[in-house]
Amino acid sequence: MWSGRPNPQLVAEAAELTPGRALDVGCGEGADAVWLAERGWRVTGVDISKTALQRAAQHAREVGEQVAQRIEWVHTDLLRGDLEEGAYDLVSAQFMHLPPQPRRELYARLAAAVAPGGRLLIVGHHPRDLRSTAHRLHYPEMMFTAEQVAAELDPQQFEVLVAQTRPRGAVDPQGRDIVVHDAVLVARRV
């Protein structure tokens, strides 16, 4: 169920950044893109779902015309579509879970889209949650650690600022309060 709230790791990592141009990958119904636009970012929200993009655009308009004008909604499959290299001050991919090879290919393309001095933010469900009551993917190979993603980055091009597992409160499918774990990578392009 969509909460309408931005992802907490995006808020934690981007709240103090100077607004610029952002790419919100797998933007869904637009909560992250709207949050960024409210703070002055020019955002490209990309998703494979036309329905999600329609809802995102509506959500942005409901927040306000000034916010809506800062966001471009793009329907594409980033595994196949074009992505402008070196163009974004922030590239954010929240919970993009793919099999290992397509994930490596996508994350390499996302890294290439980061402008010099810009940040790459990748957040995912940590494999540790497979042993919890959280409703998680039944494909363990699609989960990852931040350290695994960091190891794929060229150290000549990126400085890893954060590669860690962060606990976060959640509610499991049975309605119980639990702790889940986010794999969080933040890297700055040098």
Side-chain angles (χ1 to χ4, degrees), residues 32-144:
D32 289 356
V34 167
W35 183 84
L36 288 164
E38 286 178 306
R39 280 145 190 81
W41 290 84
R42 289 168 295 133
V43 184
T44 302
V46 177
D47 205 281
I48 196 166
S49 169
K50 288 182 182 180
T51 300
L53 290 169
Q54 290 167 351
R55 291 178 182 166
Q58 179 62 36
H59 174 59
R61 286 190 298 272
E62 289 168 0
V63 170
E65 191 58 33
Q66 190 175 30
V67 168
Q69 289 178 354
R70 287 192 193 113
I71 306 171
E72 175 187 11
W73 303 106
V74 178
H75 175 249
T76 192
D77 177 353
L78 283 180
L79 290 174
R80 293 170 183 78
D82 292 330
L83 190 57
E84 190 176 353
E85 291 191 16
Y88 298 96
D89 302 298
L90 174 64
V91 173
S92 174
Q94 304 281 319
F95 305 102
M96 295 287 301
H97 291 276
L98 299 166
Q101 188 57 39
R103 181 178 63 232
R104 280 190 291 276
E105 292 169 9
L106 175 61
Y107 288 175
R109 295 183 73 214
L110 298 182
V114 178
R119 308 265 173 122
L120 175 65
L121 171 60
I122 295 177
V123 179
H125 298 300
H126 193 282
R128 159 184 311 179
D129 288 348
L130 289 167
R131 297 183 304 270
S132 75
T133 60
H135 181 68
R136 292 292 181 241
L137 302 168
H138 297 289
Y139 304 99
E141 71 277 4
M142 292 175 69
M143 297 174 85
F144 55 85

